[in-house]
Amino acid sequence: VDVIDTLKSYLEETTGEEIGQLGDGKRTEGRITVSTLQSLKKTLRKPHILIVDEAHVVGSDSYAQACLEVGSEAFKIIGFS
């Protein structure tokens, strides 16, 4: 979850916006919200853009299923490793 905290801080500094966070006991949502897939799966909101870290493991059944469940209505899905 350190990656989530780091990304949240970076986005706040870069955009000047308050960034929401799901996971690690935090549940705030904003125009931009950072989250783990596990935490995002627990919400009813679907992202417009889903940015996936560790995309090289998206081929595993559980990870691929999570991406499909969460990102099925996403306008864009972007993966990086």
Side-chain angles (χ1 to χ4, degrees):
V1 178
D2 289 335
V3 172
I4 298 295
D5 292 329
T6 302
L7 180 58
K8 180 179 184 291
S9 295
Y10 173 78
L11 289 172
E12 286 178 335
E13 289 174 19
T14 304
T15 65
E17 292 187 41
E18 187 172 330
I19 305 299
Q21 180 175 348
L22 299 176
D24 196 28
K26 299 172 183 147
R27 185 171 178 84
T28 59
E29 295 184 44
R31 191 175 78 83
I32 301 171
T33 302
V34 295
S35 175
T36 62
L37 274 177
Q38 292 80 9
S39 295
L40 190 57
K41 281 176 59 175
K42 296 175 187 175
T43 73
L44 297 177
R45 291 187 66 191
K46 300 292 184 188
H48 294 286
I49 299 174
L50 177 63
I51 301 173
V52 180
D53 188 18
E54 304 295 336
H56 61 278
V57 297
V58 79
S60 74
D61 290 341
S62 59
Y63 202 86
Q65 184 62 35
C67 286
L68 287 173
E69 288 173 16
V70 170
S72 63
E73 299 174 27
F75 177 69
K76 294 275 186 185
I77 300 176
I78 302 166
F80 64 96
S81 291

